[in-house]
Amino acid sequence: MALRSFYALVVGAGPGRAAAIRFSKAYPVVLIARRAESYEDTVAEIRQGGGQAIGIAADVTDAASLQSTFDTIAKELPDSKLAAAIYNVNGGFLIKPFLDLKQEEFQTAYFGTAGAFFSFAQKTLPLLLESVPDSPHPPSLIVTGATASIKASAKFASFAAGKFALRALSQSLAREFGPQGVHIAHAIIDGLIDTPATKGMNNNVKDGKIKPEAIAESYWHLHSQPRSCFTQELDLRPYSESF
Amino acid sequence: MALRSFYALVVGAGPGRAAAIRFSKAYPVVLIARRAESYEDTVAEIRQGGGQAIGIAADVTDAASLQSTFDTIAKELPDSKLAAAIYNVNGGFLIKPFLDLKQEEFQTAYFGTAGAFFSFAQKTLPLLLESVPDSPHPPSLIVTGATASIKASAKFASFAAGKFALRALSQSLAREFGPQGVHIAHAIIDGLIDTPATKGMNNNVKDGKIKPEAIAESYWHLHSQPRSCFTQELDLRPYSESF
Amino acid sequence: MALRSFYALVVGAGPGRAAAIRFSKAYPVVLIARRAESYEDTVAEIRQGGGQAIGIAADVTDAASLQSTFDTIAKELPDSKLAAAIYNVNGGFLIKPFLDLKQEEFQTAYFGTAGAFFSFAQKTLPLLLESVPDSPHPPSLIVTGATASIKASAKFASFAAGKFALRALSQSLAREFGPQGVHIAHAIIDGLIDTPATKGMNNNVKDGKIKPEAIAESYWHLHSQPRSCFTQELDLRPYSESF
Amino acid sequence: MALRSFYALVVGAGPGRAAAIRFSKAYPVVLIARRAESYEDTVAEIRQGGGQAIGIAADVTDAASLQSTFDTIAKELPDSKLAAAIYNVNGGFLIKPFLDLKQEEFQTAYFGTAGAFFSFAQKTLPLLLESVPDSPHPPSLIVTGATASIKASAKFASFAAGKFALRALSQSLAREFGPQGVHIAHAIIDGLIDTPATKGMNNNVKDGKIKPEAIAESYWHLHSQPRSCFTQELDLRPYSESF
């Protein structure tokens, strides 16, 4: 497999599929998901469209699985450098009265979002730093947040704790690695995403769910910003969403 | 002058010039500034590049001047509808101990930002609403904010009061007109903009000032977002800026 | 009239009455309101309880009226210094579609909140600075905000603009005058206040409206904080209020 | 030991000692710390002053230790109900470049702040709910936050992640349990606390470190707020601190 010199990495579902397709217009793309079924179609679609893509089944919340993922990437794309990493993992979404939450659920939500991102960022930041001198756009780490990243509603304790922590990480990393040329951005997705999983929800409002392709386009815009003009945080919300 | 069916309106300096050039790739552009010198070159540059542009000298903080501006636009572009309005006015920037501030200075800062925007929004929103059914992108009102929009530093009382109020307006309008299909976005410019006015400031850091062209590109991105995925607020900051 | 050496100043209605009563336990109190009817009962009540109080009818949004107020205070309390000023003015509360707002209404909202506070702060800050060396508690300027100080809802454009600006002022002044020993605090009142004006609203929830006496107690707490431990901002909200 | 019918629970050092002393004016106090040395003096001091106090050595980040703590309390104070719980644990404070952080450090920061609070809140909330009908003040859960609760600085990634998550929990719980009559408050301590641990730091500014007694007084004020007027969040900062 002879890939070009920079690649993009997309972890997780939701807007992940569309982000992979969008970034494949510029880079070979590595898709990571727990199960191969989650990325196979996307990989095929990218290849049919003339792009390059590989998929790796991995659990990024598991250190060993994460390590093996990066070993695989190094083998598959030996001469490629990381241009953009998109972290799009919603670990432990759960709406539940606080006193009914199990400690495991809380920990799963935390480690499935902030904890896994910690490991993911430790793996990707050194790669992104290496790309600073010659990547076509400032190397980027883009993180998908949610309404719960800035507002902790009743019964969202575990999910919001993870998402607040994830936002803290993205903010701290932006302050540490921004001056080194790496662009770290956090997107607050405030609304349902229009995926098969939300079919039938909110279905009376036209365009009332966020198109994944539109998120992907905004992520690409973030990636394409020159270093004189980085966005650290933006919200993405359907016109019809009350906020 | 036979302009196409939608136009963009750009008020004010700073990133205004670059925004006008960027939006002129898609629309005829109307530039508004106090003095003709502020827009003449830009109008000429756009025309030389094959785009369409007109300039109107007006003081948007003055109701009569604002009215006459829109009368002129209606005459000059009789068959055109408003696709995007960019409000980029920094009235009354001033760093001064609070007890040295004159009431006039405070009022100037307030009316030069929030007050003028109030009038501007009242003029443009009906026009933007008319464009909802058939404009190429959701009609947009994009507002330039600053660090002082979210943080009121010592000695920035008057400037911050105006900028906080401007942000309040943009937020309230987004909630009222977003559901009607108009996209209202607020950009927090956190850093110096690389214009002739800031020449010599901060000059030791490469790319340490925001390129107006990059702001313009982000504004275009905001305008191009479909209504399923509007950004209400984003920050724009040089990689080297501490925040 | 022989008042003790420090006095408190309370401007405006809402929680103003209760604040005056609370502060009168420690200081003579000057009440300012537009109409004498607004403070007469409170002045009488304080006097009956053995406290000292005077009322002054004035429009603090008017410069001349404000000046005359401070002239009167200087005459009435010649040997007293200002210990605490409570600014509790809700100018221009209005819920209205943006396009129905008149420019005068927008200006009134501004002058009745941020604009009037600007003048009020310019009058009181020099007095508060004079009290730093020997006042019983750090001299305080306490500002009453609202939900609209941090969230600009649809149809709240003018009110929120004024309240955002007021918050900006309080924040900037805290940063400038805090280090000089003056305590500037901003309270976000998030809910209805239980006054005659809100009688009949929200009446099904016990304690669902904020007791003015409780606000007054929190204001007194703010005033009593030593300079090693100032609160700049706090929210005050009924237990039953959703937020 | 015959204690009165309501008690307060104070976990952790920093302002914990002063909070215990302040709350002991009204309630018997249970102090919890890892090592008996941390509370022995305080317990003795409270007793000498005529108050009632017991200390329990426990690691609240450990589920078994936490359970045994509450078993001990139930045995020692069989007829007492919980009036106030103060959570004052700063697990895993660490300033370190992100790529030097170990995963264990990140996890420790989490378990020492948000994770431990999760368990602590699950133990105390049922007790606080039981106290709603007859406690002298609304039963309270007061959480100590820090600057890093709202701003994630460079090199503060692990600490800020824990503190952001802790804030999320306090906010979500306030929304869930406030309407049931339990007061959950979060204090952002923005500055050094004047304890033996900070001796010699910042020592040129008089009152430039926060007095623990002042924090304790604010915590008592929070606890004493009636349910019509709860504060969910406030900041506490020396007058001289820049922010």
Side-chain angles (χ1 to χ4, degrees), chain A residues 175 178-179 207 209-211 214 218 221 225-239 243, chain B residues 175 178-179 207 209-211 214 218 221 225-239 243:
Chain A
R175 290 187 167 104
D207 296 329
K209 289 186 283 193
I210 311 177
K211 306 282 182 230
S218 285
H221 175 68
Q225 289 180 317
R227 69 178 182 168
S228 91
C229 186
F230 279 168
T231 289
Q232 209 286 299
E233 190 163 84
L234 86 179
D235 45 16
L236 295 170
R237 176 185 298 116
Y239 73 109
F243 69 103
Chain B
R175 289 187 168 105
D207 296 329
K209 289 185 283 194
I210 311 178
K211 305 282 182 233
S218 285
H221 175 67
Q225 289 180 319
R227 67 177 183 170
S228 91
C229 186
F230 279 168
T231 290
Q232 209 287 299
E233 191 164 82
L234 86 179
D235 47 15
L236 294 169
R237 177 185 298 115
Y239 73 110
F243 69 100

Side-chain angles (χ1 to χ4, degrees), chain A residues 118-150:
Chain A
F118 174 87
S119 306
F120 182 75
Q122 288 213 326
K123 288 287 177 202
T124 50
L125 278 165
L127 303 176
L128 293 165
L129 285 168
E130 277 175 36
S131 302
V132 167
D134 55 358
S135 66
H137 300 289
S140 308
L141 175 51
I142 299 173
V143 182
T144 299
T147 318
S149 303
I150 51 168

Side-chain angles (χ1 to χ4, degrees), chain B residues 38-91:
Chain B
S38 302
Y39 57 69
E40 281 170 347
D41 287 358
T42 312
V43 167
E45 185 178 338
I46 291 173
R47 288 177 179 170
Q48 275 177 326
Q52 291 178 290
I54 57 174
I56 302 175
D59 175 2
V60 293
T61 69
D62 176 81
S65 178
L66 190 64
Q67 180 57 50
S68 123
T69 300
F70 281 88
D71 292 345
T72 304
I73 294 173
K75 210 184 307 170
E76 293 273 343
L77 309 172
D79 300 319
S80 260
K81 288 160 73 176
L82 183 60
I86 296 174
Y87 184 80
N88 181 44
V89 178
N90 270 338

Side-chain angles (χ1 to χ4, degrees), chain C residues 175 207 227 232 235 243, chain D residues 175 207 227 232 235 243:
Chain C
R175 290 188 166 103
D207 297 329
R227 68 176 181 170
Q232 209 286 300
D235 47 16
F243 69 103
Chain D
R175 290 188 167 104
D207 298 328
R227 68 176 181 171
Q232 209 286 301
D235 46 16
F243 69 101

